[in-house]
Amino acid sequence: MKQKRPNPKTNQPPARAIREYSAGGVVIRRGLTSGEIEILMIQDAKGRWTIPKGHVEPGEKITQTALREIQEETGLRFLKIHDKLNDLHFFYRKDGKLIFMTTHVFLIEATRYTGELLPGDSEGIVDTKWFPAEEALKLIAYKETEKLFRLGLAKLQAGGLA
């Protein structure tokens, strides 16, 4: 079966798909010993490394969702949003329904080291870990998310963190 894609002109899903929204981020920090940029990644139950993200709650702004989900999935509390990177769009099936997901992705800095990362077990997260940027680029499971990693790193190199 051919996978349906959003209409490239309107970015709208096929009529029978249900729209859902989530938010998260490419979370970065300066390495504690090296000073090099590190990227926080979570590992899902299928062993794939990706970014922390989750569903937007009713009445919640997407920036609030991004910060809340990162905190829930990693235990990090001191976070600062620097920029919106882009949106990811994809389909998945849940309970026999076709879902069209839009994920709003931000460049976020962990502003303080708060000790051990705490993977959110209720979220199906197996592991949470900081990786040097180059290693993170090799591990990321999704091509579109890798593009956002590269965009975030380019923004850092162009102007640093505000």
Side-chain angles (χ1 to χ4, degrees), residues 2-160:
K2 187 176 178 183
Q3 183 179 11
K4 299 208 180 286
R5 301 204 179 277
N7 180 321
K9 291 182 182 175
T10 64
N11 207 21
Q12 295 298 311
R16 65 175 210 224
I18 298 168
R19 293 274 328 223
E20 290 188 4
Y21 299 90
S22 65
V26 175
V27 182
I28 56 98
R29 74 170 183 188
R30 293 263 176 216
L32 296 176
T33 55
S34 68
E36 295 296 316
I37 293 293
E38 295 179 333
I39 298 175
L40 180 69
M41 296 174 68
I42 61 168
Q43 187 177 40
D44 67 19
K46 295 181 180 178
R48 297 172 296 203
W49 288 100
T50 189
I51 60 172
K53 63 190 175 310
H55 283 85
V56 177
E57 300 289 332
E60 193 174 48
K61 294 179 181 177
I62 59 172
T63 53
Q64 292 171 317
T65 300
L67 295 173
R68 176 183 53 78
E69 286 291 340
I70 292 165
Q71 183 175 355
E72 288 176 5
E73 294 185 357
T74 68
L76 288 177
R77 296 184 327 169
F78 302 100
L79 301 165
K80 179 180 178 184
I81 295 178
H82 285 281
D83 203 359
K84 183 166 184 189
L85 293 175
N86 209 340
D87 296 335
L88 299 172
H89 304 281
F90 57 93
F91 288 94
Y92 70 97
R93 289 202 176 272
K94 183 177 180 182
D95 301 327
K97 296 177 182 158
L98 181 64
I99 310 293
F100 178 67
M101 176 65 76
T102 296
T103 301
H104 304 278
V105 182
F106 298 89
L107 178 61
I108 300 174
E109 179 187 10
T111 58
R112 266 199 258 173
Y113 180 69
T114 56
E116 185 178 357
L117 295 170
L118 305 169
D121 35 326
S122 66
E123 307 286 332
I125 297 168
V126 176
D127 199 3
T128 305
K129 189 174 176 184
W130 291 103
F131 291 97
E134 289 304 314
E135 188 175 347
L137 288 167
K138 293 175 189 171
L139 290 173
I140 191 71
Y142 304 101
K143 197 76 166 158
E144 293 303 310
T145 306
E146 178 189 339
K147 290 178 185 176
L148 294 182
F149 275 23
R150 292 186 185 283
L151 177 60
L153 291 169
K155 284 181 180 250
L156 290 173
Q157 290 170 347

